[in-house]
Amino acid sequence: MKTSLLALALVGAFVAGLATAGVAGYGPLAYISYHIIVSQQQGQAQVIPAHINLGNLTAGEKGNTTATAVINISSNGTYTIDLLHADKLQKVFSNFTVELKINNNTITLTPENDSANVKLASGSYNVSILIIFQVSQHPKGDLNVNQEPLLIIHPQGDNTNS
Protein backbone atom coordinates (compact mmCIF):
# COMPACT_ATOMS: atom_id res chain seq x y z
CA MET A 1 0.00 0.00 0.00
CA LYS A 2 2.81 2.40 0.92
CA THR A 3 4.49 1.57 -2.41
CA SER A 4 1.31 2.42 -4.29
CA LEU A 5 0.95 5.72 -2.47
CA LEU A 6 4.62 6.54 -3.06
CA ALA A 7 4.28 5.71 -6.79
CA LEU A 8 1.10 7.81 -6.99
CA ALA A 9 2.85 10.72 -5.26
CA LEU A 10 5.81 10.50 -7.66
CA VAL A 11 3.52 10.46 -10.72
CA GLY A 12 1.59 13.42 -9.30
CA ALA A 13 4.82 15.35 -8.71
CA PHE A 14 6.00 14.57 -12.24
CA VAL A 15 2.68 15.77 -13.77
CA ALA A 16 2.79 18.89 -11.59
CA GLY A 17 6.35 19.52 -12.77
CA LEU A 18 5.26 19.26 -16.41
CA ALA A 19 2.37 21.62 -15.81
CA THR A 20 4.64 24.09 -14.07
CA ALA A 21 7.17 23.90 -16.90
CA GLY A 22 4.40 24.58 -19.43
CA VAL A 23 3.20 27.60 -17.48
CA ALA A 24 6.76 28.87 -17.02
CA GLY A 25 7.21 29.11 -20.78
CA TYR A 26 8.99 25.86 -21.55
CA GLY A 27 8.16 24.30 -24.88
CA PRO A 28 9.62 22.64 -27.91
CA LEU A 29 13.26 23.50 -28.39
CA ALA A 30 13.44 22.36 -32.01
CA TYR A 31 11.35 21.07 -34.89
CA ILE A 32 12.60 18.98 -37.79
CA SER A 33 11.32 18.22 -41.27
CA TYR A 34 12.98 16.27 -44.03
CA HIS A 35 12.35 14.44 -47.28
CA ILE A 36 14.53 11.49 -48.20
CA ILE A 37 14.86 10.78 -51.89
CA VAL A 38 15.44 7.10 -52.52
CA SER A 39 17.56 5.95 -55.43
CA GLN A 40 15.62 6.11 -58.67
CA GLN A 41 14.67 3.17 -60.80
CA GLN A 42 15.78 3.01 -64.42
CA GLY A 43 13.75 5.42 -66.54
CA GLN A 44 12.34 7.41 -63.64
CA ALA A 45 12.45 11.19 -63.39
CA GLN A 46 12.64 13.31 -60.28
CA VAL A 47 10.40 16.34 -60.72
CA ILE A 48 10.36 19.66 -58.90
CA PRO A 49 6.99 20.97 -60.10
CA ALA A 50 5.92 24.50 -60.90
CA HIS A 51 2.98 25.83 -58.89
CA ILE A 52 0.74 27.95 -61.10
CA ASN A 53 -2.10 30.06 -59.75
CA LEU A 54 -4.23 31.87 -62.31
CA GLY A 55 -6.08 33.68 -59.51
CA ASN A 56 -9.65 34.93 -59.74
CA LEU A 57 -10.88 34.95 -63.33
CA THR A 58 -14.04 36.23 -65.00
CA ALA A 59 -15.92 35.04 -68.08
CA GLY A 60 -14.13 36.08 -71.26
CA GLU A 61 -10.94 37.09 -69.46
CA LYS A 62 -7.71 36.27 -71.26
CA GLY A 63 -4.13 36.25 -70.18
CA ASN A 64 -0.91 34.31 -69.88
CA THR A 65 1.46 33.21 -67.17
CA THR A 66 4.88 31.62 -66.97
CA ALA A 67 6.53 29.23 -64.56
CA THR A 68 9.56 26.95 -64.35
CA ALA A 69 9.80 23.32 -63.28
CA VAL A 70 12.89 21.12 -62.98
CA ILE A 71 13.23 17.48 -64.04
CA ASN A 72 16.15 15.19 -63.33
CA ILE A 73 16.25 12.31 -65.79
CA SER A 74 18.11 9.20 -64.67
CA SER A 75 18.42 7.51 -68.06
CA ASN A 76 18.29 8.36 -71.75
CA GLY A 77 14.95 7.74 -73.39
CA THR A 78 11.72 9.01 -74.82
CA TYR A 79 9.40 10.60 -72.28
CA THR A 80 5.72 11.44 -72.63
CA ILE A 81 4.31 14.68 -71.26
CA ASP A 82 0.55 14.73 -70.70
CA LEU A 83 -1.80 17.65 -70.12
CA LEU A 84 -4.32 16.35 -67.59
CA HIS A 85 -8.05 17.09 -67.26
CA ALA A 86 -8.61 18.04 -70.91
CA ASP A 87 -12.41 17.68 -70.62
CA LYS A 88 -12.54 19.92 -67.56
CA LEU A 89 -10.33 22.56 -69.21
CA GLN A 90 -12.53 22.62 -72.33
CA LYS A 91 -15.60 23.37 -70.21
CA VAL A 92 -13.96 26.35 -68.49
CA PHE A 93 -11.62 27.82 -71.12
CA SER A 94 -12.29 28.67 -74.77
CA ASN A 95 -8.49 28.68 -75.25
CA PHE A 96 -5.96 26.88 -73.07
CA THR A 97 -2.52 26.42 -74.60
CA VAL A 98 0.56 25.20 -72.75
CA GLU A 99 3.96 25.77 -74.35
CA LEU A 100 6.88 23.89 -72.81
CA LYS A 101 10.54 24.48 -73.59
CA ILE A 102 12.89 21.67 -72.64
CA ASN A 103 16.47 21.40 -73.90
CA ASN A 104 15.90 23.20 -77.23
CA ASN A 105 12.58 21.39 -77.75
CA THR A 106 9.29 23.28 -77.83
CA ILE A 107 6.15 21.30 -77.06
CA THR A 108 2.65 22.72 -77.42
CA LEU A 109 -0.23 21.06 -75.61
CA THR A 110 -3.94 21.88 -75.70
CA PRO A 111 -6.99 20.01 -74.44
CA GLU A 112 -7.44 18.73 -78.01
CA ASN A 113 -3.77 17.69 -78.33
CA ASP A 114 -2.94 16.71 -74.77
CA SER A 115 0.12 14.49 -75.13
CA ALA A 116 3.60 14.73 -76.68
CA ASN A 117 6.85 12.80 -76.64
CA VAL A 118 10.34 14.19 -76.16
CA LYS A 119 13.73 12.46 -76.29
CA LEU A 120 15.95 13.35 -73.35
CA ALA A 121 19.40 12.26 -72.25
CA SER A 122 20.07 11.71 -68.56
CA GLY A 123 20.61 14.99 -66.79
CA SER A 124 18.86 17.93 -65.19
CA TYR A 125 16.55 20.22 -67.18
CA ASN A 126 14.76 23.48 -66.48
CA VAL A 127 11.32 23.35 -68.08
CA SER A 128 9.87 26.74 -69.06
CA ILE A 129 6.08 26.69 -68.99
CA LEU A 130 3.95 29.31 -70.73
CA ILE A 131 0.17 29.10 -70.36
CA ILE A 132 -2.01 31.20 -72.67
CA PHE A 133 -5.70 31.14 -71.77
CA GLN A 134 -9.09 32.67 -72.32
CA VAL A 135 -11.99 31.90 -70.03
CA SER A 136 -15.14 30.79 -71.84
CA GLN A 137 -18.04 33.26 -71.98
CA HIS A 138 -20.15 30.62 -70.23
CA PRO A 139 -17.79 28.47 -68.15
CA LYS A 140 -19.30 25.37 -66.58
CA GLY A 141 -18.17 22.41 -64.54
CA ASP A 142 -15.47 22.70 -61.90
CA LEU A 143 -14.96 26.45 -61.47
CA ASN A 144 -12.71 26.17 -58.39
CA VAL A 145 -9.45 24.25 -58.69
CA ASN A 146 -6.78 24.15 -56.00
CA GLN A 147 -3.35 22.50 -56.49
CA GLU A 148 -4.60 19.97 -59.05
CA PRO A 149 -1.97 18.25 -61.20
CA LEU A 150 -1.82 19.81 -64.67
CA LEU A 151 1.16 18.21 -66.43
CA ILE A 152 2.90 14.89 -65.86
CA ILE A 153 5.99 13.30 -67.39
CA HIS A 154 6.67 9.58 -67.63
CA PRO A 155 8.71 7.19 -69.77
CA GLN A 156 7.02 6.53 -73.11
CA GLY A 157 4.67 3.58 -72.87
CA ASP A 158 4.32 3.86 -69.07
CA ASN A 159 0.68 4.78 -68.55
CA THR A 160 0.60 4.10 -64.83
CA ASN A 161 0.44 7.85 -64.02
CA SER A 162 -2.09 8.99 -66.61
Side-chain angles (χ1 to χ4, degrees):
M1 183 74 162
K2 287 183 181 182
T3 307
S4 298
L5 287 175
L6 183 59
L8 186 58
L10 287 173
V11 168
F14 178 73
V15 170
L18 286 177
T20 302
V23 170
Y26 292 96
L29 186 59
Y31 291 93
I32 188 170
S33 298
Y34 55 86
H35 175 75
I36 299 171
I37 300 171
V38 294
S39 62
Q40 299 175 354
Q41 298 175 1
Q42 188 79 4
Q44 295 294 314
Q46 177 191 12
V47 179
I48 301 170
H51 292 272
I52 301 165
N53 184 348
L54 298 180
N56 296 321
L57 302 171
T58 58
E61 185 174 347
K62 57 171 85 168
N64 63 65
T65 189
T66 60
T68 302
V70 177
I71 54 175
N72 295 305
I73 302 293
S74 62
S75 63
N76 301 346
T78 301
Y79 292 83
T80 301
I81 299 175
D82 294 316
L83 174 65
L84 303 177
H85 313 293
D87 291 339
K88 182 187 295 190
L89 292 170
Q90 286 179 316
K91 291 177 181 177
V92 174
F93 295 95
S94 58
N95 176 36
F96 195 89
T97 304
V98 178
E99 185 178 279
L100 305 167
K101 292 188 179 185
I102 308 171
N103 194 35
N104 298 322
N105 294 301
T106 300
I107 298 168
T108 302
L109 299 173
T110 64
E112 298 80 23
N113 180 27
D114 61 357
S115 185
N117 294 324
V118 61
K119 289 186 180 190
L120 296 171
S122 64
S124 182
Y125 299 93
N126 288 327
V127 181
S128 297
I129 304 168
L130 169 64
I131 298 177
I132 302 164
F133 63 89
Q134 181 168 8
V135 179
S136 172
Q137 289 297 328
H138 303 286
K140 55 186 175 243
D142 193 354
L143 303 180
N144 295 299
V145 172
N146 187 25
Q147 295 298 318
E148 187 171 276
L150 179 67
L151 299 164
I152 61 168
I153 184 169
H154 55 88
Q156 184 180 21
D158 176 12
N159 293 321
T160 59
N161 293 326
S162 44

